[in-house]
Amino acid sequence: MLDPSLRERLAALREQLHSHSYHYYVLNEATIPDAEYDRLFRELQEIEAAHPELQSSDSPSQRVGAPPLAAFSQVRHETPMLSLDNVFSEQELLEFDQRIKARLKDSSEFAYACEPKLDGIAVSLLYVDGVLVRGATRGDGRVGEDITQNVKTIASIPLKLRGSGWPEELEVRGEIYMPRAGFARINEMAGTTDGKVFVNPRNAAAGSLRQLDSRITATRPLEMSCYGIAQGDGDPWFSSHSEGLARLRDWGFLVSSELRVVMSIEGCVAYYQDLLARRDSLAYDIDGIVFKVDSLALQEKLGFVSRAPRWAIAHKFPAQEEITQLRDVEFQVGRTGAVTPVAKLEPVFVGGVTVSNASLHNFDEVARLGVMIGDFVIVRRAGDVIPQVVQVVLERRPTTALAIVAPEVCPVCASGLERAPGEAVLRCTGGLVCGAQRKEAIKHFASRKALDIEGLGDKLVEQLVDAGLIETVADLFVLELEQLAGLERMGRKSAENVLAALEKARSTTLPRFLYSLGIREVGEATALNLAKHFGELPALLAATEEELIAVADVGPIVASHLHAFLSSDYNREVINLLIERGVHWPATRQEGGAQPLAGQTWVLTGNLESMTRGEAKEKLQALGAKVAGSVSAKTDCVAAGASAGSKLAKAEALGVAVINEQQLLQLFVENGSSV
């Protein structure tokens, strides 16, 4: 039987990774080091790999990264900007090579491309007919920020490609970074003008790219090094990763001078050792090495997992550690009532980041470490999340050190605490009586993957709850203008914007609605499976635990949480109030329902005005179609927007059916898809 504490650990990992990714990528607050994030992320991956039934689409492993800033317009990546899996030892690197050979069923050696892993900001550059038309950040991997004007100020990014022979449409991926000399220079200037002093070159690059005024970006010493090609219309024009980068160099892009092709995994090990030894002498920061199978044919055979290619790996450099003193411990209460001990540290600078907090995860971890208040502890960099306390320096323990005692009641609402048998986590029993749980539940309901209520941020939710204006998520939809406008730092215009966002949020989908309710263990994938299986909310509400277990991705524990939540009179009242107050969604096809485009292959081309091509692709896939990137005799239909080019011409030459955007929209409407 699965240890329940494992589920709690998984939930804690996901919550931490999501929270700190938000601070790092959205708020531009480098609060923790890379190596700490790596440790937590690896632990998450190990648990999910060992227990596939616990995998969920709302896990940070499915996703890489975080959401775009509202200050910039959004760009949906036609090809997702995936991340890479990591290894931290030579043995793990050798095992990566062995997995590739096992999947290929060939023990022969093959070539790897080796490149330094630059510590910067990943970007996508789109060229049409050789001219730069768009620059975008990674964002959450699928939606990024449009930073076209800013990337145009970077001298190493060509505004127009050199030479000839490039595809009609070319998307290049690369890393924007700030060299060490430029970083030192801007910080020196900031010191003389009372300007902002950056903590490290990566923060400086991120802050420079997020300037709304591109004239400021133009003053920053940024560079971009290309590391790949996302797409290029037309027939393949290179057969290996290194050949593709050589073409990019010919067309005017900066490609790392450290790029090497080696003929075996032993060559990768030698390259890693060489660059690790020269790391401090490089002109820029790197945090590891990226190894990629060089042959594109082999890459295609190997394919991808959900968030990363099987044919590439990042070999990270060793973690960095420092000693500091644990001054106190505070207890935080999460959305599910979990009480987490948080170490308050004497601030310490670890690898470019000032660390003052560290999660102690749960009281089993406190006992395992034997840590006390006042202890000197070793803090390890292990990623872009809260740093890890890995060891107590017992010989430096002061005589005044105090034991860390678990609270007897909830530190927020004074309700009782319980610890289920086999669990490591203390949990507040107050439910929505607890202000912390109520606030976190409302924040989750308003989050981007749920109802996506723009402007309803954490601070506003806290104000609304503290002022007694809302108790449940249903109360959001009866808020009045004067109530909102009277809150601190709101104002009438901001209040009007929030009300408009609430009005927009009334129209959603059943999967989003189910996810927004914050049911334990029900992430995006489970919510989608529930909606597809039952088709409508009443059928789900009437389901027994046995019927819930019949749903894909739902096991006995998830079914138990679901049934308990949906059977609660209180929860049903909130759900009914939400519907009474206008929250609605289109009908969802049940499993086995007819898909009108099943078995068909479609291609999208040109610019769509009513939606992005990515959104159109999702709608076509929902109707059963396979959406391909190129036109062939096997293509059933091409949907052509404005300025369609070679794909449209090829479709017409082959006699493939072509429809325009209006006809595409009509197709969606006729099949019950909102537009």
Side-chain angles (χ1 to χ4, degrees), residues 200-251:
N200 55 43
R202 188 193 186 283
N203 275 7
S208 300
L209 282 180
R210 288 187 172 93
Q211 294 293 329
L212 294 177
D213 186 347
S214 61
R215 292 172 298 183
I216 298 176
T217 307
T219 66
R220 303 287 171 80
L222 299 173
E223 293 183 3
M224 192 201 81
S225 179
C226 298
Y227 61 67
I229 300 163
Q231 65 182 44
D233 287 347
D235 295 328
W237 38 271
F238 60 101
S239 61
S240 68
H241 174 72
S242 56
E243 182 185 351
L245 292 184
R247 285 289 192 94
L248 293 182
R249 184 185 286 115
D250 291 340
W251 293 336

Side-chain angles (χ1 to χ4, degrees), residues 615-642:
E615 291 167 339
K617 179 179 178 180
E618 289 178 0
K619 293 179 183 296
L620 287 170
Q621 289 173 330
L623 297 178
K626 174 187 175 183
V627 181
S630 59
V631 178
S632 71
K634 296 181 180 180
T635 303
D636 292 283
C637 187
V638 171

Side-chain angles (χ1 to χ4, degrees), residues 327-586:
R327 293 294 192 183
D328 199 0
V329 172
E330 294 182 355
F331 303 101
Q332 296 180 353
V333 182
R335 176 170 56 86
T336 62
V339 178
T340 302
V342 177
K344 311 301 289 185
L345 305 170
E346 182 69 25
V348 60
F349 197 75
V350 187
V353 176
T354 300
V355 172
S356 57
N357 296 319
S359 174
L360 294 170
H361 304 301
N362 53 56
F363 293 96
D364 282 0
E365 179 72 359
V366 171
R368 185 189 70 79
L369 289 168
V371 63
M372 300 177 70
I373 296 172
D375 272 340
F376 285 86
V377 295
I378 296 175
V379 181
R380 174 181 296 162
R381 292 195 64 191
D384 296 335
V385 192
I386 292 179
Q388 173 76 15
V389 175
V390 295
Q391 187 179 339
V392 176
V393 185
L394 289 175
E395 58 270 26
R396 295 183 61 179
R397 172 170 285 169
T399 57
T400 55
L402 300 173
I404 299 172
V405 180
E408 296 181 357
V409 297
C410 173
V412 175
C413 70
S415 295
L417 299 177
E418 64 179 11
R419 181 171 174 170
E423 288 194 359
V425 175
L426 274 178
R427 199 175 297 278
C428 169
T429 61
L432 293 182
V433 171
C434 176
Q437 292 185 63
R438 189 159 66 247
K439 290 175 181 176
E440 294 305 316
I442 295 169
K443 291 173 186 176
H444 174 79
F445 181 82
S447 65
R448 186 179 61 83
K449 292 182 181 178
L451 270 286
D452 193 16
I453 306 172
E454 188 174 351
L456 192 63
D458 292 358
K459 291 183 179 179
L460 180 54
V461 169
E462 290 170 5
Q463 284 191 78
L464 290 168
V465 174
D466 290 342
L469 295 177
I470 56 174
E471 291 189 2
T472 74
V473 293
D475 296 334
L476 291 168
F477 296 97
V478 291
L479 285 170
E480 297 178 356
L481 178 61
E482 298 306 325
Q483 291 176 314
L484 284 168
L487 295 174
E488 183 181 356
R489 296 184 179 178
M490 275 299 291
R492 195 171 189 85
K493 182 60 178 176
S494 296
E496 290 173 347
N497 291 339
V498 171
L499 290 178
L502 284 165
E503 184 61 35
K504 181 180 178 182
R506 282 188 166 95
S507 178
T508 185
T509 65
L510 181 55
R512 276 182 173 265
F513 179 77
L514 296 176
Y515 174 72
S516 76
L517 296 176
I519 305 168
R520 283 182 66 186
E521 309 292 344
V522 177
E524 289 178 279
T526 303
L528 178 60
N529 289 337
L530 289 167
K532 290 170 63 178
H533 185 90
F534 291 102
E536 56 184 14
L537 184 59
L540 173 59
L541 293 174
T544 64
E545 284 195 49
E546 291 73 20
E547 290 170 330
L548 291 169
I549 292 174
V551 179
D553 192 37
V554 175
I557 295 178
V558 177
S560 175
H561 288 316
L562 265 166
H563 193 262
F565 184 96
L566 297 175
S567 299
S568 162
D569 290 339
Y570 177 86
N571 292 333
R572 290 211 175 204
E573 181 182 353
V574 172
I575 290 172
N576 289 334
L577 279 173
L578 285 167
I579 295 171
E580 289 175 13
R581 292 170 183 176
V583 178
H584 64 281
W585 51 85

Side-chain angles (χ1 to χ4, degrees), residues 60-141:
S61 66
Q62 302 301 304
R63 66 164 243 185
V64 185
L69 295 174
F72 293 94
S73 61
Q74 295 185 351
V75 171
R76 184 174 291 275
H77 301 298
E78 297 295 337
T79 302
M81 293 188 72
L82 300 178
S83 185
L84 296 177
D85 286 332
N86 298 320
V87 296
F88 294 82
S89 68
E90 181 177 324
Q91 181 58 38
E92 289 179 317
L93 183 62
L94 296 176
E95 290 170 358
F96 164 71
D97 181 70
Q98 292 165 5
R99 288 196 301 272
I100 288 179
K101 291 175 179 175
R103 179 167 284 275
L104 294 175
K105 298 180 180 179
D106 187 348
S107 60
S108 303
E109 299 295 346
F110 50 85
Y112 281 100
C114 313
E115 306 167 67
K117 186 175 183 299
L118 292 162
D119 197 9
I121 309 299
V123 295
S124 163
L125 303 175
L126 180 63
Y127 289 80
V128 175
D129 293 329
V131 177
L132 177 64
V133 297
R134 190 189 71 204
T137 63
R138 182 201 299 272
D140 64 4

Side-chain angles (χ1 to χ4, degrees), residues 299-310:
Q299 288 185 10
E300 184 173 355
K301 285 184 180 180
L302 291 166
F304 298 77
V305 292
S306 59
R307 64 171 293 276
R310 289 192 179 96

Side-chain angles (χ1 to χ4, degrees), residues 147-208:
I147 55 168
T148 305
Q149 294 306 312
N150 288 348
V151 299
K152 284 183 175 181
T153 69
I154 300 173
S156 56
I157 295 177
L159 299 180
K160 183 176 181 179
L161 302 182
R162 295 170 61 87
S164 61
W166 55 77
E168 175 187 348
E169 185 171 297
L170 173 69
E171 185 179 354
V172 177
R173 301 279 167 84
E175 197 87 359
I176 291 179
Y177 61 99
M178 185 173 290
R180 290 171 176 168
F183 170 72
R185 188 165 64 251
I186 66 167
N187 267 358
E188 182 179 355
M189 291 174 60
T192 62
T193 60
D194 294 326
K196 178 177 180 180
V197 175
F198 292 98
V199 175
N200 55 43
R202 188 193 186 283
N203 275 7
S208 300

